[in-house]
Amino acid sequence: MYLREVHAETDINRLQDFVKDNPLGILTTAIKSTTYPLIQASHIPFILEVSDRHEATANGNEGSDTGLIYGVLRGHIAKQNPQAKALMDALAATQNEHHDPQIKELPEEVLVLFNGPAHHYVTPKFYVETKPATGKVVPTWNYSAVQAYGKIRVYCDSKSDETSSFLQRQLEDLSQHAETSIMGHTGGDRPSPWAVSDAPVSYVNLLKKNIIGIEICIHRLEGKFKMNQDKGNGDREGVIQGFKDLKSDVGDNIARTVKERGDLKDLKDKRA
């Protein structure tokens, strides 16, 4: 992604929180195959695991050569998905090449894109300072996104205890995260969360045979908040008010984010 300094977010904790808050990622792969397209993408909800062993620095743009890991993404894909089939074929070829059936990781780097909850067109009419003064304004689009890069491990042997355990943990963790963090099902005054154990074991085991597990160690994490930080305070206030006047959830979200990112930029400028 094109990262102008004014729009770039390099705080690893903020980027990780963004992924946790917006877990539906777009897994993009470029795997050479005579059967399936080279470039494929699928929308997949992910769990981001961050622990003490996942080191982080203030610079999220370092490559895998540094040995740093910014977290591990875990997800699953239906076996009938052509992207899953390409991953399984690539894994089998890698295992055969190295004569090692225990290999799980593919050599190709993959990308997972996470988009923010709101994006919107920005009319030049919102720039209440510059438009009347010079007219030198054009439309743009406000959005936020994080890109995670890393090597992918594939768990697809339905007869393997390792695959079964990975998928069980993945399904339980993903359900728990979605039920509590997204749905707010935390018990007490709120509804209790649904759990995988609420479904029959035989049913869950049947479903597990029809999916594959994926795990991505993140070696590069990049984020962008394009929210009018490059504008002056007057134009920024015009954008905030303009989006508030839309009287919509998206408008309110954008207005709030424009203010937050503008305040962060102003604070950074004062410290510089």
Side-chain angles (χ1 to χ4, degrees), residues 8-59:
E9 176 58 78
T10 58
D11 185 292
I12 296 300
N13 291 328
R14 284 203 185 103
L15 297 178
Q16 291 169 335
D17 287 343
F18 184 98
V19 171
K20 292 176 182 178
D21 292 339
N22 304 279
L24 184 64
I26 303 174
L27 171 67
T28 305
T29 58
I31 299 173
K32 293 181 180 179
S33 170
T34 58
T35 308
Y36 305 104
L38 171 66
I39 299 176
Q40 297 195 70
S42 298
H43 287 77
I44 300 169
F46 283 93
I47 280 289
L48 174 62
E49 178 185 273
V50 179
S51 65
D52 293 341
R53 67 189 179 87
H54 303 148
E55 302 178 56
T57 69
N59 181 1

Side-chain angles (χ1 to χ4, degrees), residues 256-267:
R256 183 170 59 254
T257 309
V258 168
K259 185 178 188 321
E260 289 173 354
R261 302 307 298 189
D263 289 346
L264 284 172
K265 178 185 179 297
D266 292 344
L267 181 61

Side-chain angles (χ1 to χ4, degrees), residues 81-122:
N81 185 325
Q83 190 174 25
K85 293 181 178 180
L87 288 169
M88 289 188 288
D89 285 355
L91 179 62
T94 301
Q95 291 173 339
N96 290 335
E97 179 184 352
H98 295 276
H99 306 289
D100 185 355
Q102 301 304 314
I103 290 177
K104 296 290 186 295
E105 186 174 277
L106 299 183
E108 296 89 354
E109 186 179 55
V110 303
L111 160 68
V112 185
L113 170 64
F114 298 91
N115 287 309
H119 60 88
H120 206 286
Y121 169 82
V122 183

